[in-house]
Amino acid sequence: MAQNTEVVVIGGGYAGVMAANRLTQREDVTVTLINPRPVFVHRIRLHQAVGGSQDMIVGYREVLAKGVRLVVDTAARIDAAERSLVLAAGGTVGYDYLIYAVGSGSADPRVPGAAEFAYPIASLEEAQRLWSVLDAAPATAAVTVVGAGALGIETAAELAEAGRTVTLVCGEVLGPYLHPRVRRSIAKRLAKLGVTVLEGPDARVTAVTRDAVRLGGGRELPSGVTVWTAGFSVPDLAVRSGLSTDGLGRLLTDETLTSVDDVRIVAAGDSAAPSDLPLRMSCQAAGPLGAHAADTVLSRIAGEQPASIDVGFFGLCVSLGRRAATVQLASKDDTANRFSIRGRLAVKIKESSYKGLLKHLADEARKPGSHTWPFKDDKRRQLLEAKRAEQPATAERAA
């Protein structure tokens, strides 16, 4: 009688759910998904929580294959030598293969007062806490959003559309990913909504107090509620478990997403750093990386050589309130170009992305192995070759 292969997936976000669903292709594979909460969080809707929306909370049975066992707990440590996980609530879970898909969250602000007085929004619990604070604050209270990536822009627009007085503090520039032409278009939309946008070297936050934000140029902004969206980090589980990581704490892997330390551990999503050249943290990359991580495990079970990743991008969708959006187009290597989609079509694309991400997961749950990704990055190989050519030279200089 054939023995079952036990595969454990840590993290129930886009990458983890996609991987878990895809693994159910084989009847002799038992899949366990470990996640700290009993519901799926549709993260790209978290900015809508500032208005009280609950659309980001989805039941796991809507997106997770029936054959996947869900364990609501947190992995406290990976014991690679014993092939087991130590759980925060006590006990251990053994595995034959492990998929590391712990995702990302708010970065440590490292700005005096920010941890005490600013409200991050990168997790469900953080977003719900912020909603409670905003609901209790006067409608006239000044709101400061720190950080001008997609999350900061979307949060500022959502708040302004709801009638709040909003200042968006960018640090250096509005939307660093954006092409200058597209950036100008988004700035106009934010201005139309009434958002004050602060850019340039003097727009760096140096301190946060209970009722103000201090900037590098010496300016102090009154702020009844300060929202912190500047940067993302990854959980330190891999670091605590003695596994090799990059500077941000993402698990270092080869191009098949296999850990450089252990062939039984495979990474996916925001917490993966293939060849120390990680892809942009995004739901856009999470699904394909989750699918590829599962394929790598399935290949190893079958005694086959796993393939290398080949994931390209199409751009970035930015919500600008409920009635406007911009789709920044990009080359497949994720370089933003001057082209964008605006107007009603952009709103439709953004709305379809909300539904489409859940549909991709549900489709994979129903028909494992069906998910495909049409965008391929034909420049990644060149980057890898350049990095490998640079390494011997760096080693020689060090010697």
Side-chain angles (χ1 to χ4, degrees):
M1 184 175 178
Q3 184 176 358
N4 266 23
T5 300
E6 300 280 348
V7 184
V8 174
V9 180
I10 311 176
Y14 299 112
V17 171
M18 177 63 75
N21 289 346
R22 201 171 183 89
L23 287 165
T24 62
Q25 290 177 76
R26 290 184 62 126
E27 294 183 356
D28 60 348
V29 172
T30 300
V31 186
T32 300
L33 178 68
I34 297 176
N35 194 63
R37 60 182 69 86
V39 293
F40 177 83
V41 178
H42 201 4
R43 277 189 69 182
I44 61 170
R45 281 190 179 271
L46 276 178
H47 65 279
Q48 296 177 345
V50 298
S53 171
Q54 298 293 311
D55 289 345
M56 70 291 301
I57 300 174
V58 179
Y60 264 116
R61 288 310 159 199
E62 293 184 36
V63 295
L64 192 63
K66 292 181 180 179
V68 177
R69 173 185 171 227
L70 176 64
V71 174
V72 181
D73 206 335
T74 300
R77 185 171 58 85
I78 301 168
D79 187 338
E82 295 295 326
R83 294 185 198 162
S84 70
L85 298 178
V86 178
L87 300 179
T92 61
V93 176
Y95 65 83
D96 294 306
Y97 288 93
L98 177 70
I99 292 184
Y100 187 85
V102 296
S104 61
S106 300
D108 181 354
R110 298 185 180 180
V111 170
E116 293 83 3
F117 303 115
Y119 297 90
I121 191 177
S123 73
L124 175 63
E125 293 75 17
E126 290 171 345
Q128 290 174 331
R129 178 181 176 224
L130 174 58
W131 156 241
S132 297
V133 170
L134 286 166
D135 190 45
T140 55
V143 179
T144 304
V145 178
V146 180
L151 181 58
I153 293 170
E154 291 184 327
T155 302
E158 192 83 12
L159 286 165
E161 194 174 72
R164 294 285 183 174
T165 301
V166 182
T167 299
L168 178 60
V169 180
C170 302
E172 287 292 339
V173 66
L174 174 70
Y177 174 86
L178 303 170
H179 185 276
R181 182 169 180 260
V182 180
R183 184 178 297 128
R184 288 192 294 271
S185 171
I186 287 179
K188 288 180 181 178
R189 174 61 186 172
L190 289 173
K192 188 174 181 179
L193 287 169
V195 177
T196 300
V197 177
L198 301 181
E199 298 181 87
D202 290 342
R204 288 184 175 274
V205 176
T206 60
V208 179
T209 65
R210 188 178 303 278
D211 54 10
V213 171
R214 294 173 188 158
L215 304 182
R219 182 178 177 185
E220 185 166 291
L221 304 174
S223 183
V225 180
T226 301
V227 185
W228 198 274
T229 72
F232 291 91
S233 66
V234 299
D236 64 351
L237 175 60
V239 175
R240 286 187 282 110
S241 301
L243 298 170
S244 297
T245 64
D246 70 357
L248 197 62
R250 290 172 289 209
L251 187 69
L252 282 176
T253 75
D254 63 15
E255 286 294 283
T256 72
L257 299 179
T258 303
S259 166
V260 297
D261 301 312
D262 192 325
V263 73
R264 298 278 180 161
I265 300 176
V266 180
D270 290 353
S271 53
S275 302
D276 206 10
L277 288 172
L279 283 72
R280 172 164 56 91
M281 290 184 179
S282 62
C283 60
Q284 194 173 152
L289 289 177
H292 194 97
D295 288 346
T296 291
V297 170
L298 292 172
S299 291
R300 294 201 186 281
I301 292 172
E304 301 168 353
Q305 176 60 37
S308 296
I309 58 170
D310 192 1
V311 178
F313 289 78
F314 66 80
L316 177 69
C317 296
V318 182
S319 174
L320 298 168
R322 300 301 177 94
R323 296 184 293 274
T326 293
V327 181
Q328 163 73 76
L329 300 179
S331 57
K332 293 175 183 177
D333 69 345
D334 204 25
T335 301
N337 58 43
R338 66 192 299 269
F339 301 106
S340 65
I341 301 171
R342 290 176 284 172
R344 292 181 181 179
L345 178 57
V347 174
K348 288 182 179 180
I349 291 172
K350 183 65 176 176
E351 286 297 321
S352 69
S353 73
Y354 292 144
K355 298 175 183 177
L357 281 166
L358 297 182
K359 185 177 185 301
H360 290 324
L361 297 177
D363 287 349
E364 188 70 17
R366 189 182 67 257
K367 189 178 179 182
S370 61
H371 184 69
T372 59
W373 185 248
F375 301 97
K376 310 296 181 183
D377 180 7
D378 52 7
K379 292 186 179 180
R380 184 171 178 85
R381 185 175 296 177
Q382 298 172 23
L383 287 173
L384 287 169
E385 290 173 353
K387 183 178 177 65
R388 288 164 183 158
E390 189 179 278
Q391 287 172 341
T394 304
E396 287 176 14
R397 287 195 297 272

